[in-house]
Amino acid sequence: MTSNQNRPDRNLALELARVTEAAALAAARLVGRGDKIAADQAAVDAMRFVLDSVPMSGTVVIGEGEKDEAPMLYNGETIGDGSAPEVDIAVDPLEGTRLCALGMPSAIAVIALAERGTMFDPGPIVYMEKMAGNEEVADLLDLDRPIGETLKLVADRKGMGVGDVTVVMLDRPRHEQAMKDVREAGGRIKLITDGDVSAALLAVSDRSPVDLLYGIGGTPEGVITAAALKCMGGAIVGRLWARDETERQAAIDAGYDLSRILTTNDLCWGDDVFFSATGVTDGDVLQGVRYRGRGATTESLVMRSRSGTVRRVHATHDRSKLRAITGERYG
């Protein structure tokens, strides 16, 4: 349990919107340029710059990697202006670096915040099995039940045929059997090349034809997804998935139970969770950055679990004024 003194007593959601807008605007200048490393660095730089002004004492729990690998927004880094509250931060300054570099849909900038000590630490495990859906089917999510049976349960719950159930899944060789199982059951698949968090938002959105997220994706993204679902409803279940025996043994030695099913509250158990995502390229969930003369527009999803408020924020930015304040971070 967290101390009342450390719980955010004000709405930081719109502060986080400034953060993801900054990252999206910076990364968008490199859309289609073929350099995913430069795009990611631009997003990291802009996000870190704005985070310093947010009134909080934050610790990065889900970041760009260890300190030696990530000069900024690394795991364990302290961010914010140092004032209360003390919070955990999970960031993905540019989810879909390849999507951005190739000018493909659904690249987004993402951040989540919760009370200090309430976000799951993935440790050495990079991947996890996941299933996510909206509130209507939350109790049907089960990683041990054959996916075909789950599709039938979802179809019955939603009053439709199995042929109308759509599963979003990463297009990876490791999912060949899962794809076969979904199709043999009569379900549909929406394959994506990248973007776990964006896909999960798609699976729980009432504006989307997608019913479930399923498959093996990033563990850090699973934590960020849990924070989002704490705010907007729905659920995620996950199970840590070791890539090889060395990683499996490292997890066991660190005290992780690889058979445990992790729920939304296991991945993020804070009572006051904040989430913001801003589109970089156009996608099913968010519109990407659009340039119009001296200005640019962004679209963001901004949420808080305590109030259950979900805002869709359309913003217009004067790029020349931003450059005067921040240098060239916004392009």
Side-chain angles (χ1 to χ4, degrees):
M1 299 297 292
T2 57
S3 166
N4 285 332
Q5 293 180 332
N6 287 332
R7 289 180 182 172
D9 60 358
R10 61 188 179 277
N11 194 341
L12 292 170
L14 293 179
E15 294 281 354
L16 298 188
R18 293 194 303 112
V19 172
T20 54
E21 286 171 352
L25 286 164
R29 298 304 300 153
L30 292 159
V31 167
R33 300 288 295 277
D35 192 340
K36 65 180 185 179
I37 295 175
D40 188 48
Q41 189 62 60
V44 170
D45 290 345
M47 181 173 278
R48 185 65 174 81
F49 179 81
V50 178
L51 275 170
D52 275 339
S53 68
V54 177
M56 65 180 180
S57 178
T59 300
V60 177
V61 176
I62 304 292
E64 291 289 282
E66 300 305 315
K67 183 176 181 179
D68 292 342
E69 302 169 1
M72 289 196 297
L73 295 177
Y74 56 84
N75 297 340
E77 183 175 2
T78 300
I79 54 179
D81 70 358
S83 62
E86 296 181 4
V87 295
D88 282 348
I89 299 288
V91 300
D92 196 341
L94 181 56
E95 183 192 51
T97 56
R98 180 171 59 163
L99 300 177
C100 179
L102 298 180
M104 297 172 66
S106 299
I108 60 175
V110 183
I111 189 168
L113 177 156
E115 303 99 310
R116 186 76 185 101
T118 63
M119 283 185 173
F120 181 77
D121 181 355
I125 301 296
V126 175
Y127 289 102
M128 68 188 306
E129 299 176 73
K130 305 176 194 174
M131 184 180 288
N134 66 19
E135 289 180 312
E136 188 177 4
V137 301
D139 62 314
L140 302 179
L141 305 180
D142 189 334
L143 292 173
D144 292 321
R145 182 195 302 124
I147 184 61
E149 293 181 21
T150 297
L151 295 189
K152 293 174 184 176
L153 292 172
V154 169
D156 289 343
R157 177 68 58 82
K158 293 193 170 187
M160 59 189 187
V162 176
D164 296 321
V165 177
T166 300
V167 181
V168 62
M169 188 182 302
L170 285 166
D171 188 5
R172 299 288 189 272
R174 61 179 178 265
H175 290 151
E176 286 182 4
Q177 185 59 50
M179 292 179 201
K180 181 179 178 181
D181 293 342
V182 169
R183 287 168 175 151
E184 285 184 349
R188 303 177 181 185
I189 299 174
K190 177 181 176 64
L191 289 174
I192 58 172
T193 59
D194 301 276
D196 282 23
V197 177
S198 180
L201 294 175
L202 191 63
V204 302
S205 171
D206 58 7
R207 299 165 45 147
S208 163
V210 172
D211 302 286
L212 289 175
L213 164 76
Y214 181 61
I216 297 167
T219 308
E221 289 83 354
V223 177
I224 296 173
T225 295
L229 301 190
K230 293 275 285 192
C231 299
M232 70 185 302
I236 180 172
V237 293
R239 179 164 49 204
L240 299 177
W241 187 82
R243 292 174 292 179
D244 53 40
E245 189 55 38
T246 299
E247 192 170 277
R248 174 182 295 275
Q249 192 58 52
I252 293 171
D253 292 344
Y256 288 87
D257 180 357
L258 299 185
S259 65
R260 178 187 175 192
I261 297 297
L262 299 164
T263 66
T264 309
N265 285 330
D266 292 323
L267 294 168
C268 181
W269 54 95
D271 295 321
D272 204 0
V273 181
F274 301 84
F275 175 91
S276 179
T278 301
V280 177
T281 59
D282 285 351
D284 294 315
V285 177
L286 287 165
Q287 179 179 289
V289 175
R290 303 277 180 89
Y291 296 102
R292 293 182 174 89
R294 290 174 47 192
T297 62
T298 56
E299 183 182 31
S300 304
L301 271 179
V302 186
M303 303 181 267
R304 186 185 190 184
S305 67
R306 184 174 174 182
S307 62
T309 302
V310 178
R311 292 181 172 92
R312 191 171 286 269
V313 178
H314 295 264
T316 301
H317 309 268
D318 186 313
R319 293 161 62 200
S320 63
K321 290 182 178 180
L322 288 174
R323 281 196 295 268
I325 297 170
T326 66
E328 295 301 314
R329 289 179 178 84
Y330 292 90

